[in-house]
Amino acid sequence: MRLVSIKPGEEKLAFLLFSYFFLITTPHTLIKVHRTTHLLVRVGVGALPLAYLSAAVVTGLVVLYYARIQFKISIQFLIIANLVFFALSGLVLQLVLETRYGRDSLYLPYVYWVWASVLIVVLMTHFWMTVNEIFNPREAKRLIGFISSGGILGGILGGLLAGVLTRANLGILLLPLACGLMIACVFVVRAVFRDRQRPPAMAKPVLSKKGQTEAPKVGFKDSFNAVRHSPYLTLIAAVVAIGIIVSTLIEFQFFSAADVHYKNRIKDMQAFFGFFFAGLTIFAFFLNAFFTGNFIKKMGVKLTVLLTPVVLLLCSVVVLIAPFALLPAIFIKGSDESLDFSLKQTVREILYIPVASGLKFKAKPFIDMFISRVAKVVAALILLVFALLLNKEVKYLTPVFDTGLAKQLSWIVIVFLIPWAVLSLKIGKEYVTTINRSIKMKWDRVDQSVREQLDVDSAKEIFDAMESRNRSAVLYAMHVFDLLQRDKLSPEIKNLISEKAGEVRVSSLSDLFNAEGAAGFPEKAEDIRQEDLVTDIRETMSLDAYQKLMEGHAGNVMAESQKSEVEKMELAKAIGLMSPDAPLTDRLEALIDDHSPDVSCYALKSAARLKKVSYIPAIIRKLSHPSTREDAISALHKYGQSAMPALEENLSDRRLDLNLRKAVVETLARLGTQKAAFALAEELDQGGGELDPEIIDALDRIRTEKGDVALPTRVAKRKVFSLVHKYCRAFLDFQELGHGESTEAARHRLKRDLETLLPDIFKLLGLVYPQEEIRKAYQNIETGTRNSIAYAIELLDNTLKKDMRDIIIPLVEDLSSSERQRIFQKILKNS
């Protein structure tokens, strides 16, 4: 069912909700036509402000009562009870209207108006509470257009019935017919609650002081506080209130024009209202079917909420410019009502969906029933004050309005439309924020978590010190000295590394020192006095005799190929403790290139201390070897910016070993500088693609750790489009391959490509859009529940710009295989 976007398994529930809305909007329209004509003909258009006030007061009392009982009984029972009550009371009201008292009374039209106003508010509020409780945001966007069409068709039928029956002198049947439809709706409501996919949302029970379970205490104050303490709900309440004030003023302009045009011709007026509302809802039906869903999908909720105030602002300007008559009034009323039936109501209900169920059950009835009535009061007071200030004529407790006054109301409408537009912009942003809060981050980057919880470099130094005891006393002593001079030898670490770890071995270097009378190194950390040891060693290393002695020893070690690894390791470590301008440091490059990984690692660590640029080529060569790669990366990281020219050159040289270039990417990621980010981005943009996964991950890491580094978003966008096209091609190729041994390898490769491309796409999106939101959305799409996946996609839908949204959402949306193939083919065709 592509036209209405109903997925398999949703047909029955969608049709029931369609019918539910149809069976409350049809009587709604019948009653609205009948009660409006009744009031205008019996009392006059000046009665409208008092009618608005009366309806608001009574509805406020209904809200107070509703707030007390809503958590004590199920919403299903509440809806059915109200339908039965209004149906029966409507029949009683019809009987009274047909009596002599009903025909002569000036007060009964007010009673009828108030009764109808409460009916409309209660039935509509219950319906939309049911809808936004059943569906998540993604389901709502797909199905709410179809469901709303049921209400629109109900409005069409109700208007046509009102017009036709009035023309046939059967207007007396309007109210009984409406009551009969409400009784029929009872059976549909029962079916809806039987077929809904999850149980009705109720507030969680709380324990009383006696330990017994009881319903939570919820009343007017609780509902008011729920709205007041939530910025998001406060914005919704403000937009709803302003919208109702504006609609009431526009409605008054329309009724004033109709009253003047038809005078007291009750039959003609009632037929006009019937056919007008029918024609209006026909227009709204096509607007809803062909515009609402697509507009929300393409523009997102953030921009859609702005459409209604902008359109009404233009219409108000037209009313001010044109002569005031029925036609301009029809124009502005038609615009307001059609948008209300289609776009405005749909968007407003979508705005409620991310609100938690318990909070929603407190706030939504309060806003839809109480705040809306307060807004009606404000509109009525505006009408009264406006009329009294400009006209001052009162008849039968109602002000007298002329067409000039009705036209000037457009200035007040414009005054309210401006803050409405401003608040619409704010609520669009707050909607995305609320969606964002509705889903949680599932995990952090592993490397980030490790760094936050562990000082890797210090831990490695301590481990090397402990391990050196098994090699030689000289290595051990130099490690201890290294920790001492950098103030990293705490008492706990001292005890740790001084534990017996094996027999301490001697070497030619320690023999050399002992033969020359040099101070011996202690074997245990307990023997170490920090100040004495650091002073003694520094003094010894600064002596010319020491330098000559070490130069001769180094010559012997490097000349004799049979010398042990330990002696070369000792030499490499000793060079690292020297000054960078010491003559012996020239020998370190040869030790870096040594065939022994252990020797190379010691030499690399010493090179990281000395930071001589001449070592960099040798260090980079060691990136190719797994056993020395980590120490080489660490050394280059410590070089910082001075290593950048060599790193950039090796990154772009496709003749080099791929593993070496991948290690260069890792080095640049650890540097995390602006220059490193641009070097990675340039290779991502201009390279052959063999390093894409590593570069994308590196840029994602830089974005995570260095938020202040500016990243090249244009490159990221281009790469997103490129990877999406690869994903689409891989998916289509996978679908075309049949099952069998001959295609198994190809299927496995394509499946692996699909699994790796998607995270890379989202990492790139995190370079262009807020990273936390993108990461959170991806994690919930991958591992979340049905609802969290829907919220995650909704977050993407309102975060990404249109060009990105059109190609990203189909990758993660729950679509059938054929639908996905069709969209992917379209993406490739448009590329």
Side-chain angles (χ1 to χ4, degrees):
M1 302 179 69
R2 183 180 301 171
L3 181 62
V4 291
S5 299
I6 299 177
K7 295 183 178 180
E10 296 176 339
E11 297 92 340
K12 183 179 178 182
L13 185 59
F15 179 74
L16 286 172
L17 289 170
F18 175 95
S19 303
Y20 178 7
F21 204 17
F22 175 83
L23 288 173
I24 61 174
T25 52
T26 303
H28 163 211
T29 307
L30 290 168
I31 291 170
K32 182 167 67 171
V33 169
H34 192 242
R35 66 106 187 240
T36 302
T37 307
H38 199 76
L39 183 73
L40 294 179
V41 172
R42 296 289 176 88
V43 187
V45 71
L48 284 171
L50 185 58
Y52 291 145
L53 280 171
S54 304
V57 171
V58 174
T59 306
L61 295 175
V62 171
V63 171
L64 289 174
Y65 176 71
Y66 181 82
R68 290 180 175 274
I69 67 171
Q70 63 176 328
F71 283 95
K72 297 179 181 179
I73 58 179
S74 71
I75 188 173
Q76 177 184 358
F77 178 82
L78 203 59
I79 294 172
I80 292 175
N82 279 310
L83 284 168
V84 173
F85 168 77
F86 283 115
L88 296 178
S89 60
L91 293 174
V92 172
L93 183 61
Q94 174 65 31
L95 294 175
V96 175
L97 288 173
E98 295 305 315
T99 64
R100 181 177 179 182
Y101 169 78
R103 288 190 293 269
D104 296 338
S105 174
L106 292 177
Y107 301 102
L108 194 58
Y110 288 102
V111 174
Y112 188 12
W113 182 280
V114 171
W115 175 85
S117 298
V118 174
L119 175 147
I120 291 167
V121 170
V122 170
L123 296 190
M124 289 297 176
T125 299
H126 285 161
F127 171 77
W128 287 112
M129 283 180 66
T130 302
V131 169
N132 65 47
E133 180 60 30
I134 290 176
F135 299 124
N136 60 47
R138 302 305 296 174
E139 293 169 332
K141 277 190 175 182
R142 282 190 297 101
L143 298 173
I144 211 164
F146 171 73
I147 294 169
S148 297
S149 298
I152 292 172
L153 289 176
I156 294 171
L157 179 62
L160 290 175
L161 285 173
V164 170
L165 291 175
T166 300
R167 289 291 186 199
N169 296 319
L170 296 174
I172 193 175
L173 298 178
L174 295 184
L175 188 53
L177 179 59
C179 294
L181 292 171
M182 285 189 280
I183 293 296
C185 188
V186 170
F187 300 97
V188 175
V189 171
R190 287 175 58 86
V192 167
F193 282 90
R194 279 199 308 266
D195 199 64
R196 65 186 300 176
Q197 297 177 357
R198 49 179 176 269
M202 300 285 289
K204 293 182 179 179
V206 297
L207 293 178
S208 66
K209 294 182 179 179
K210 297 180 181 181
Q212 297 176 337
T213 300
E214 58 182 25
K217 186 178 180 180
V218 177
F220 177 84
K221 184 178 180 181
D222 299 285
S223 298
F224 172 75
N225 287 333
V227 175
R228 183 169 65 91
H229 292 148
S230 170
Y232 182 59
L233 289 172
T234 302
L235 283 171
I236 292 178
V239 168
V240 168
I242 293 175
I244 289 175
I245 291 172
V246 169
S247 293
T248 303
L249 298 178
I250 290 173
E251 182 181 73
F252 182 84
Q253 290 180 305
F254 172 68
F255 288 153
S256 296
D259 186 53
V260 170
H261 186 81
Y262 287 102
K263 303 299 183 181
N264 291 322
R265 292 177 288 158
I266 183 170
K267 180 178 177 181
D268 292 338
M269 183 184 291
Q270 185 162 289
F272 163 73
F273 283 144
F275 290 125
F276 170 77
F277 288 123
L280 183 66
T281 45
I282 290 173
F283 175 71
F285 174 78
F286 286 103
L287 189 69
N288 196 63
F290 299 105
F291 177 76
T292 300
N294 289 330
F295 192 87
I296 295 174
K297 184 177 179 181
K298 292 181 179 180
M299 304 305 296
V301 174
K302 288 194 295 184
L303 291 178
T304 304
V305 292
L306 190 61
L307 183 64
T308 299
V310 170
V311 170
L312 294 181
L313 183 62
L314 296 175
C315 293
S316 296
V317 172
V318 171
V319 172
L320 282 172
I321 295 174
F324 189 79
L326 186 59
L327 187 59
I330 288 174
F331 176 67
I332 191 169
K333 175 63 176 176
S335 300
D336 179 51
E337 196 89 355
S338 59
L339 286 172
D340 192 31
F341 275 140
S342 55
L343 200 66
K344 188 167 71 173
Q345 181 68 45
T346 299
V347 172
R348 190 168 71 191
E349 298 310 320
I350 290 175
L351 291 175
Y352 279 116
I353 290 174
V355 180
S357 295
L359 185 61
K360 187 190 306 178
F361 263 66
K362 293 179 184 178
K364 192 175 190 306
F366 179 80
I367 293 173
D368 289 356
M369 298 172 73
F370 181 79
I371 295 294
S372 62
R373 296 309 98 186
V374 170
K376 281 282 188 182
V377 169
V378 173
L381 292 174
I382 290 172
L383 290 170
L384 287 170
V385 171
F386 188 75
L388 292 175
L389 287 176
L390 298 183
N391 196 330
K392 299 183 179 179
E393 183 180 351
V394 179
K395 184 184 294 184
Y396 300 114
L397 298 179
T398 61
V400 176
F401 286 82
D402 58 29
T403 55
L405 286 176
K407 179 175 182 175
Q408 295 306 313
L409 279 174
S410 293
W411 289 111
I412 300 178
V413 171
I414 291 172
V415 168
F416 280 99
L417 285 171
I418 293 172
W420 185 357
V422 173
L423 291 174
S424 295
L425 289 174
K426 290 185 177 180
I427 203 172
K429 295 178 181 178
E430 194 65 27
Y431 171 75
V432 179
T433 301
T434 305
I435 288 285
N436 191 16
R437 292 181 188 142
S438 301
I439 56 178
K440 305 297 181 184
M441 190 79 79
K442 301 290 186 180
W443 66 83
D444 293 321
R445 283 185 62 105
V446 175
D447 47 11
Q448 181 185 8
S449 300
V450 170
R451 278 189 298 277
E452 289 175 352
Q453 300 176 29
L454 178 66
D455 186 346
V456 178
D457 290 338
S458 296
K460 195 171 188 307
E461 289 173 3
I462 295 166
F463 176 80
D464 288 344
M466 294 172 61
E467 193 270 340
S468 69
R469 294 195 56 171
N470 292 325
R471 295 184 181 274
S472 78
V474 173
L475 273 178
Y476 171 62
M478 285 191 286
H479 275 291
V480 172
F481 171 69
D482 204 5
L483 292 170
L484 281 173
Q485 69 174 351
R486 288 187 292 123
D487 200 25
K488 290 190 176 183
L489 192 62
S490 64
E492 294 80 10
I493 295 175
K494 184 186 293 185
N495 292 332
L496 177 65
I497 66 175
S498 64
E499 292 179 359
K500 189 72 174 175
E503 193 69 24
V504 178
R505 301 176 183 176
V506 296
S507 68
S508 61
L509 188 56
S510 58
D511 290 341
L512 179 64
F513 288 160
N514 290 330
E516 298 295 330
F521 292 107
E523 288 191 6
K524 294 187 178 180
E526 295 93 306
D527 301 330
I528 300 172
R529 291 186 67 243
Q530 179 171 336
E531 298 81 3
D532 293 342
L533 181 59
V534 172
T535 301
D536 288 348
I537 294 179
R538 282 179 176 168
E539 288 179 355
T540 300
M541 294 175 64
S542 65
L543 295 174
D544 290 339
Y546 172 80
Q547 293 292 330
K548 291 180 181 180
L549 183 67
M550 287 300 299
E551 181 67 32
H553 177 70
N556 293 331
V557 170
M558 301 302 292
E560 298 179 25
S561 60
Q562 299 302 318
K563 287 291 183 180
S564 68
E565 287 184 352
V566 172
E567 291 171 296
K568 292 182 180 181
M569 291 160 64
E570 291 171 346
L571 180 59
K573 183 70 176 178
I575 292 173
L577 299 175
M578 297 177 183
S579 171
D581 56 0
L584 201 57
T585 58
D586 293 338
R587 295 186 177 273
L588 191 60
E589 185 174 350
L591 292 170
I592 293 173
D593 284 325
D594 195 89
H595 66 277
S596 168
D598 291 333
V599 174
S600 291
C601 288
Y602 268 86
L604 288 166
K605 292 169 186 173
S606 293
R609 289 174 180 275
L610 299 174
K611 295 186 178 67
K612 294 185 71 171
V613 176
S614 59
Y615 299 153
I616 292 177
I619 298 173
I620 289 179
R621 288 195 292 271
K622 286 299 175 180
L623 293 174
S624 298
H625 305 287
S627 55
T628 57
R629 184 175 296 139
E630 181 58 36
D631 286 302
I633 292 173
S634 180
L636 291 167
H637 178 220
K638 289 182 173 65
Y639 269 81
Q641 287 299 109
S642 60
M644 278 301 303
L647 290 171
E648 290 180 273
E649 181 182 350
N650 282 269
L651 177 65
S652 59
D653 191 347
R654 294 179 181 82
R655 298 169 300 175
L656 297 178
D657 177 64
L658 184 60
N659 289 324
L660 183 148
R661 295 174 67 207
K662 288 181 179 180
V664 170
V665 172
E666 171 64 19
T667 306
L668 292 171
R670 294 194 194 181
L671 285 174
T673 62
Q674 189 70 68
K675 195 170 183 180
F678 277 119
L680 290 167
E682 184 178 0
E683 179 61 25
L684 183 66
D685 196 32
Q686 305 295 331
E690 64 277 2
L691 293 176
D692 281 1
E694 288 75 19
I695 294 176
I696 292 170
D697 187 70
L699 290 171
D700 177 70
R701 179 172 164 184
I702 293 173
R703 180 67 183 270
T704 301
E705 298 174 358
K706 307 283 181 65
D708 57 333
V709 173
L711 297 172
T713 56
R714 289 184 180 180
V715 172
K717 287 181 179 179
R718 283 198 295 268
K719 204 64 182 179
V720 166
F721 281 101
S722 174
L723 294 187
V724 167
H725 293 158
K726 286 183 180 179
Y727 188 96
C728 294
R729 281 194 294 269
F731 178 86
L732 294 174
D733 290 344
F734 184 84
Q735 295 297 316
E736 290 176 1
L737 286 175
H739 292 277
E741 294 184 4
S742 59
T743 60
E744 190 61 32
R747 289 177 63 84
H748 179 74
R749 176 180 55 80
L750 290 171
K751 186 177 180 181
R752 186 180 66 250
D753 289 344
L754 292 172
E755 291 172 351
T756 56
L757 283 170
L758 193 61
D760 284 347
I761 290 170
F762 274 86
K763 287 176 183 177
L764 287 168
L765 289 174
L767 306 181
V768 181
Y769 300 96
Q771 187 187 46
E772 182 180 349
E773 295 180 11
I774 297 297
R775 185 174 291 171
K776 190 186 293 186
Y778 171 72
Q779 291 176 3
N780 280 272
I781 288 169
E782 286 294 295
T783 62
T785 62
R786 173 174 165 268
N787 271 351
S788 67
I789 291 172
Y791 282 118
I793 298 175
E794 182 68 8
L795 178 60
L796 288 176
D797 204 5
N798 287 276
T799 300
L800 306 179
K801 291 186 177 179
K802 185 181 181 302
D803 57 343
M804 286 290 179
R805 185 167 61 240
D806 289 346
I807 63 171
I808 297 299
I809 297 300
L811 305 185
V812 295
E813 187 78 274
D814 183 17
L815 303 172
S816 66
S817 180
S818 58
E819 181 73 4
R820 199 181 299 275
Q821 283 181 289
R822 184 184 65 82
I823 295 175
F824 284 5
Q825 288 169 350
K826 183 178 178 181
I827 291 173
L828 292 175
K829 182 179 179 180
N830 294 335
S831 60

